[in-house]
Amino acid sequence: IVAFVCNWCSYTAADLAGTARMIQSPNVRLIRMMCTGMVDPKYVIKALLGGADAVLISGCHPGDCHYINGNYKARRRVKLLQEILPRFGFDRRRLKLTWIGASEGGEFADTVNKLVAEIRELGPSEARAMTAV
Ligand code: FES
């Protein structure tokens, strides 16, 4: 699972979860972005086509974005992406957006664990089936 996380909130929460030794699944690779508003939809499509089983985008709570409205832009893009993912052959549940604040390490660990469980239930990425043919 590829996770694009905002430097100011979710990355800090992930760091907190790690330093507090909270139990979390090791299946997530973090990519630190300055803001979720910088996550280009192409990054998401490329990650999924490249074989990621899911993409998580996580940033500051609404109203807390350090760049004023980047997270609102991310929310709109995610909605559109979830509409078009089936056209690429992907289940829309493979893309998730969450808001996790810097002090919410436990929330980050819970989100990761729940997402990994959901994706395990969903099975491997459709991209693997596409390349197997
Ligand atoms: Fe965190 Fe914009 S700075 S989502």
Side-chain angles (χ1 to χ4, degrees):
I1 295 173
V2 175
F4 295 100
V5 291
C6 151
N7 176 61
W8 305 103
C9 290
S10 300
Y11 184 82
T12 309
D15 196 32
L16 178 62
T19 52
R21 298 177 186 268
M22 292 175 185
I23 295 170
Q24 56 183 316
S25 175
N27 304 66
V28 175
R29 296 289 172 265
L30 299 182
I31 298 177
R32 179 161 46 163
M33 308 290 289
M34 291 310 284
C35 176
T36 54
M38 296 177 70
V39 180
D40 191 305
K42 281 184 287 190
Y43 302 165
V44 173
I45 301 286
K46 193 170 178 189
L48 290 171
L49 286 173
D53 287 327
V55 172
L56 170 68
I57 299 175
S58 186
C60 306
H61 287 279
D64 287 348
C65 176
H66 287 57
Y67 303 95
I68 302 171
N69 58 8
N71 50 4
Y72 293 122
K73 289 176 183 165
R75 184 164 61 189
R76 285 198 297 266
R77 288 181 190 141
V78 164
K79 243 187 173 6
L80 289 171
L81 271 165
Q82 283 173 332
E83 291 297 314
I84 65 165
L85 280 184
R87 293 186 206 168
F88 283 88
F90 295 109
D91 190 301
R92 65 186 68 194
R93 289 173 290 178
R94 294 194 185 276
L95 174 60
K96 189 173 180 76
L97 174 68
T98 61
W99 312 130
I100 301 175
S103 61
E104 299 173 321
E107 176 71 20
F108 187 84
D110 284 350
T111 300
V112 163
N113 291 335
K114 279 184 198 153
L115 181 60
V116 168
E118 277 172 38
I119 298 305
R120 277 218 171 100
E121 217 166 271
L122 207 54
S125 167
E126 291 84 356
R128 293 188 205 168
M130 290 177 213
T131 53
V133 177

